[in-house]
Amino acid sequence: MTIKLYELCGVDETNLFSPHCWKIRLSLAHKGLSHETIPVPFSKVATLEGGSKRKVPVLRDGDEVIEESYEIALFLDRKYPERPSLFDGDGARAMTQFVISWSQTQLHPVIARMCLMDIYNRLAPVDQEHFRITREKLFGMTLEKFSTEMAATPADLKKTLFPLDNMLGRQAFIGGESPLFADYVVFGALQWLRTVQGEDGLPKDGRVAEWFNILLDMYDGLGRATKAA
Ligand SMILES: N[C@@H](CCC(=O)N[C@@H](CS)C(=O)NCC(=O)O)C(=O)O
């Protein structure tokens, strides 16, 4: 039975931009599993699977429905143990929590500060309303004020990525010689920026750029196939 992946989209259903959904797109490819994408705009997320979900990605595999990207990755390894693992043992699962935490608390805020209005501008009016209400409540200010007064630059991003740049001097991937789920976590964040704003804000040269380009080209260019904005 085909695996279904509910993924966030804007007006253009082929512009899949959610960082968390990208983690799972690459995880499925890593395991050699094909899937059907069901694009979902912000205002429809709460109607998925009978209305029980509030966020995507959500994955349906037969009768099983899983949400939360890390839980989906664990599920895929549990259900398909004969395929390449997304984690290299218990230690890797535990350390991936650090990568998720770093990505969520350091990388995502900088990227949001770079591209908030780019996200807003690619949504349909009904989704713009949802995005404005939820994000203005979260930030405690208007989107316009956030994106001007809190704006971040490519230099801020480069600085935030320094730990990754430094580590890539010693090994090819966060996972070691080949990528693991932890790589897809960080890839998802940069792909988010690429798909909503284009490539200008991304590192252009150096180790992180090289690592990101390798991941964009992996799995028959899955990442690159979604156009940069
Ligand atoms: N921790 C969750 C985060 C998922 C998440 O934040 N998804 C966003 C899209 S990137 C969402 O569905 N938001 C719905 C909304 O804001 O209404 C995961 O890793 O799956």
Side-chain angles (χ1 to χ4, degrees), residues 27 41 49 60 63 93 106 111 167 178 184 186 203 206 212 219 221-222 224:
S27 296
E49 292 289 341
R60 174 178 272 284
D63 291 339
R93 269 187 289 277
Q106 306 301 309
I111 294 177
M167 187 215 72
S178 56
Y184 307 145
V186 183
F212 185 59
Y219 312 122
L222 177 66
R224 211 180 285 285

Side-chain angles (χ1 to χ4, degrees), residues 106-171:
Q106 306 301 309
L107 200 48
H108 278 230
V110 172
I111 294 177
R113 286 162 54 207
M114 290 172 81
C115 69
L116 194 77
M117 290 315 282
D118 296 303
I119 301 171
Y120 179 79
N121 289 334
R122 59 199 326 98
L123 305 178
V126 62
D127 300 312
Q128 286 183 330
E129 193 184 333
H130 169 95
F131 189 77
R132 182 178 285 285
I133 292 168
T134 53
R135 272 49 182 186
E136 290 189 348
K137 191 167 166 202
L138 182 69
F139 301 138
M141 63 182 85
T142 64
L143 298 183
E144 288 74 10
K145 188 166 175 177
F146 181 89
S147 62
T148 49
E149 293 186 7
M150 308 293 286
T153 63
D156 296 320
L157 178 62
K158 192 172 175 196
K159 196 167 154 198
T160 308
L161 286 166
F162 181 71
L164 177 63
D165 176 83
N166 190 44
M167 187 215 72
L168 291 171
R170 279 186 286 278
Q171 59 194 57

Side-chain angles (χ1 to χ4, degrees), residues 185-207:
V185 168
V186 183
F187 172 87
L190 298 185
Q191 177 76 326
W192 176 31
L193 181 62
R194 177 179 172 273
T195 50
V196 301
Q197 196 185 66
E199 291 177 338
D200 287 356
L202 289 167
K204 287 186 185 38
D205 43 37
R207 293 188 283 242

Side-chain angles (χ1 to χ4, degrees), residues 12-49:
D12 175 357
E13 291 195 340
T14 67
N15 181 250
L16 302 167
F17 62 85
S18 155
H20 306 289
C21 296
W22 271 103
K23 296 175 196 173
I24 302 307
R25 286 175 81 73
L26 287 206
S27 296
L28 286 163
H30 176 109
K31 294 196 77 75
L33 294 165
S34 59
H35 75 279
E36 177 194 351
T37 289
I38 306 184
V40 188
F42 272 112
S43 57
K44 293 272 166 39
V45 171
T47 67
L48 296 183
E49 292 289 341

